[in-house]
Amino acid sequence: MEFGVLFTSHPNPAEEPYPHRAVHARTTAEIEEAEQFGYDTAWVAEHHFSTQYGILPDCFAYLAYLAARTSRIGLGAAVITLPLNDPIRTAENAAFVDILSNGRMRLGIGSGYRPYEFEGLGKDFEARREMVAEAVPLMREAFLRRRWNHQGRFYRGRVEAPYEMLPVPVQEPHPPLYMAGGTERSIAYAGRNGFGLMLSTLPGAETLARQIAIYRQGLAEAPAELRRNPAAGQVDVARYVYVADTDAEARADTEEAIIRHIAHFGGSGTAGYLGTVSEKGQSLNYDDLLATTLLHGSAETVIAKLRALEAKTGLTSLLLHYPPYYGAAKIRRSLQLFAERVMPAFRPPRGAVAAAD
């Protein structure tokens, strides 16, 4: 199993007061620590305009910076909100970061779920899925053939010989491409188009199992060319994770903050996202979240919860996520405890890997 961390550049007003500039130094430090602790991937998320959620308008600028600050860890966008971006520029920039990172780029895309971001950038929120459906084949042309002639409803452009899209990425035929899915429609689309699948922090295990089954069925229908995507068949599940020495300590550190954070996804600013992507309603309590969603507790508790999740869903990658409200010191401690006490239970000993090689 791969292990990554999903960073939303989310401000903690107690430590990063308005205008929240300090959030980026803290996030960068956590990514550098994640590499030192042995995590496989670090993912950053595009978000605009909110003073209460992520502050990261340009994933590619940040990933290029991180490429120079790190040497091993995979660097991913989770996700680029495709309707807010030009698909050709997205493909170009992903290829460029892949070169700058020496083949460590992973590209996740999604349709978006926050209407205020679309309003602020003058985009049609209701047309976002149609925009993605038009943009994806155009991106594929850019990656696979590096030339195109497209005259569509939302995008127009032509590049023909002797011109082509450059740079050519290190990874072939392109960096691993993922799609974030929350509805049956988007999950099936991801499978049929050969994307890796990224699933939300919010659904319970039963919901995740159904979603992954829908994805696998769609992937079986994908043409062979689309299954050349290095991420095809990969399922990355994001979970709220917090490890402490005891279950009681984990609860004391997180209970109020995690309920407040998850409740945010039920507001008007997220277009009903909580109910759309999961089985949860507006009433949230910690015990229910522990039973369905959270990987919180001692290392032993988290290992048991993760084994059960793996058996039920077949996930291939876990993305650790958390709100910033616990404080930077406790977050660092949790990431370290997970790396030292939980990861080894899901990976072969180093000697076994060397012998297999």
Side-chain angles (χ1 to χ4, degrees):
M1 186 184 298
E2 275 198 343
F3 294 101
V5 187
L6 173 60
F7 300 89
T8 53
S9 299
H10 193 72
N12 178 11
E15 297 181 351
E16 299 147 359
Y18 180 85
H20 311 305
R21 293 190 185 98
V23 68
H24 306 295
R26 188 256 303 165
T27 302
T28 300
E30 289 176 8
I31 291 171
E32 291 174 331
E33 288 165 353
E35 178 171 72
Q36 293 167 9
F37 292 151
Y39 288 88
D40 298 297
T41 56
W43 299 80
V44 300
E46 174 187 357
H47 283 294
H48 306 269
F49 310 131
S50 177
T51 59
Q52 299 179 10
Y53 198 61
I55 303 173
L56 184 57
D58 191 331
C59 287
F60 294 117
Y62 192 30
L63 291 172
Y65 173 74
L66 292 172
R69 299 282 299 235
T70 59
S71 60
R72 179 198 58 79
I73 197 166
L75 301 173
V79 297
I80 301 296
T81 307
L82 197 53
L84 303 181
N85 293 272
D86 181 87
I88 297 299
R89 297 287 290 127
T90 298
E92 282 185 318
N93 285 332
F96 193 25
V97 173
D98 198 49
I99 290 173
L100 296 176
S101 64
N102 193 28
R104 291 186 283 140
M105 175 71 199
R106 304 183 185 199
L107 176 61
I109 63 170
S111 61
Y113 65 97
R114 294 175 177 263
Y116 62 84
E117 296 184 326
F118 286 71
E119 183 177 356
L121 291 170
K123 302 292 186 179
D124 184 356
F125 182 73
E126 299 303 324
R128 66 194 186 282
R129 294 185 180 90
E130 289 79 8
M131 296 175 75
V132 169
E134 183 177 331
V136 164
L138 181 54
M139 287 180 59
R140 190 175 297 122
E141 286 289 308
F143 274 129
L144 296 179
R145 283 169 273 282
R146 301 201 288 278
R147 296 188 176 99
W148 57 90
N149 187 347
H150 182 83
Q151 304 298 320
R153 175 184 172 191
F154 300 105
Y155 309 105
R156 294 180 177 84
R158 181 179 66 189
V159 169
E160 296 177 341
Y163 307 106
E164 63 179 286
M165 189 189 86
L166 295 170
V168 178
V170 173
Q171 299 179 87
E172 296 180 352
H174 48 66
L177 303 179
Y178 293 78
M179 178 168 282
T183 65
E184 290 187 7
R185 171 182 172 177
S186 63
I187 291 167
Y189 179 90
R192 290 195 304 271
N193 284 272
F195 285 96
L197 179 64
M198 308 191 83
L199 291 173
S200 168
T201 52
L202 299 170
E206 298 288 348
T207 301
L208 287 175
R210 289 194 299 272
Q211 291 174 335
I212 293 171
I214 291 168
Y215 168 72
R216 299 288 184 203
Q217 182 178 355
L219 185 65
E221 303 171 6
E225 182 179 50
L226 302 187
R227 291 199 301 270
R228 292 175 59 208
N229 173 18
Q234 297 297 307
V235 178
D236 285 24
V237 174
R239 295 282 88 178
Y240 291 112
V241 177
Y242 189 86
V243 183
D245 288 324
T246 67
D247 292 353
E249 182 184 348
R251 183 169 191 147
D253 287 347
T254 65
E255 182 171 5
E256 183 278 331
I258 194 66
I259 291 175
R260 170 162 50 96
H261 178 71
I262 294 177
H264 158 82
F265 290 93
S268 60
T270 61
Y273 184 74
L274 178 62
T276 299
V277 305
S278 79
E279 71 292 336
K280 294 176 175 61
Q282 294 301 309
S283 179
L284 301 169
N285 70 74
Y286 195 79
D287 289 319
D288 287 345
L289 292 172
L290 275 178
T292 62
T293 304
L294 304 180
L295 300 183
H296 283 198
S298 67
E300 294 74 19
T301 294
V302 172
I303 287 170
K305 284 176 171 287
L306 185 52
R307 286 198 193 283
L309 183 67
E310 182 183 29
K312 188 168 288 186
T313 66
L315 81 161
T316 59
S317 174
L318 178 74
L319 304 185
L320 286 73
H321 190 46
Y322 45 83
Y325 309 124
Y326 312 146
K330 289 181 178 179
I331 287 171
R332 184 185 189 280
R333 174 68 171 155
S334 173
L335 289 173
Q336 184 174 7
L337 286 174
F338 187 94
E340 292 177 353
R341 301 184 185 178
V342 178
M343 279 190 201
F346 297 88
R347 289 180 166 169
R350 292 183 182 275
V353 175
D357 291 343

